[in-house]
Amino acid sequence: ADFVPIVERFGVVVLDEFDKLRIVPGADERSMARNRALQAELLTITEGSVIQAKHEDGGDQGATVRTHGILHIAVGAFEGLNAQVARNHQHQQVLPNAYEQAALEDLTKYGFLEELVGRFSAFLTLPPLNADHLLLILNQHVLPVVEQEMADDHITLIVDPSARWKFAERAALNMVGARSLRSDLEDHLWRAW
């Protein structure tokens, strides 16, 4: 519990894949209800409440933490937000960078509770990853890990530069970011591995 004052003053919570919590009109009722409940719960935490934090080991010991001063950052791919912003701003065609104009009303129409997105003080939009970005991620982060894992099994991995580029291009077309790089690579390596 010695860490509680530090967490309450300098804590940061990163909500990864926040976009997956959107309430999608026309989705099944169970999914919509679950996401609505999760958003309501996150609203309670982001607007400031007192929670019981558990230790990683799952033990009964925990600490009471006030979330009032904790910084919350929500990140995600927000697939389809660009088209939503274009519709909201009545653009005749979907501009490739319409997402840069995203505002509170765009995010509520996208599927988030207004009260929840209103708790975030700023919106920062980044451009989608292109094949060049993904090639860099593949070369600097994904391949070194896979190469080491294979080396541990006494296998030397050599990936031709043209094959690296193909993996990056395919990941860019999938539009799910860098997460598809490793799974695509493993799909091609599993037999040899």
Side-chain angles (χ1 to χ4, degrees):
D2 297 338
F3 63 89
V4 171
I6 295 169
V7 168
E8 289 178 342
R9 185 163 180 207
F10 301 108
V12 177
V13 173
V14 178
L15 304 167
D16 192 14
E17 297 198 17
F18 186 74
D19 55 316
K20 303 292 190 282
L21 297 179
R22 75 186 269 220
I23 302 163
V24 181
D28 66 275
E29 284 297 319
R30 186 175 175 187
S31 172
M32 289 173 53
R34 183 194 76 227
N35 285 0
R36 191 173 288 112
L38 286 169
Q39 286 189 36
E41 190 67 28
L42 284 172
L43 175 61
T44 302
I45 294 169
T46 57
E47 68 186 359
S49 62
V50 178
I51 62 168
Q52 187 67 27
K54 300 272 185 185
H55 287 282
E56 284 183 34
D57 62 10
D60 292 335
Q61 297 291 333
T64 301
V65 178
R66 292 173 42 87
T67 65
H68 299 75
I70 294 176
L71 173 64
H72 293 82
I73 300 172
V75 297
F78 293 88
E79 185 66 37
L81 180 61
N82 199 58
Q84 180 68 53
V85 172
R87 279 192 303 276
N88 292 350
H89 294 268
Q90 299 177 346
H91 292 295
Q92 297 302 319
Q93 59 184 1
V94 177
L95 304 172
N97 59 345
Y99 63 87
E100 293 174 352
Q101 300 174 20
L104 177 67
E105 80 175 78
D106 298 309
L107 292 168
T108 57
K109 288 182 180 176
Y110 183 71
F112 288 101
L113 299 175
E114 184 175 355
E115 301 86 358
L116 178 59
V117 291
R119 296 298 304 153
F120 295 91
S121 59
F123 303 111
L124 175 64
T125 57
L126 302 172
L129 295 173
N130 63 29
D132 291 325
H133 299 131
L134 292 162
L135 180 62
L136 189 64
I137 293 167
L138 177 68
N139 287 333
Q140 292 182 357
H141 300 284
V142 177
L143 275 175
V145 171
V146 173
E147 286 170 342
Q148 183 58 55
E149 289 173 358
M150 293 186 81
D152 292 345
D153 289 338
H154 309 290
I155 300 170
T156 302
L157 175 63
I158 300 170
V159 182
D160 183 80
S162 63
R164 292 173 188 228
W165 179 249
K166 286 291 185 195
F167 281 114
E169 281 183 323
R170 213 171 16 245
L173 290 173
N174 289 342
M175 296 177 59
V176 293
R179 71 174 54 100
S180 67
L181 288 169
R182 175 151 181 142
S183 60
D184 194 18
L185 185 63
E186 286 178 351
D187 284 348
H188 287 80
L189 296 174
W190 73 270
R191 283 189 182 95
W193 197 342

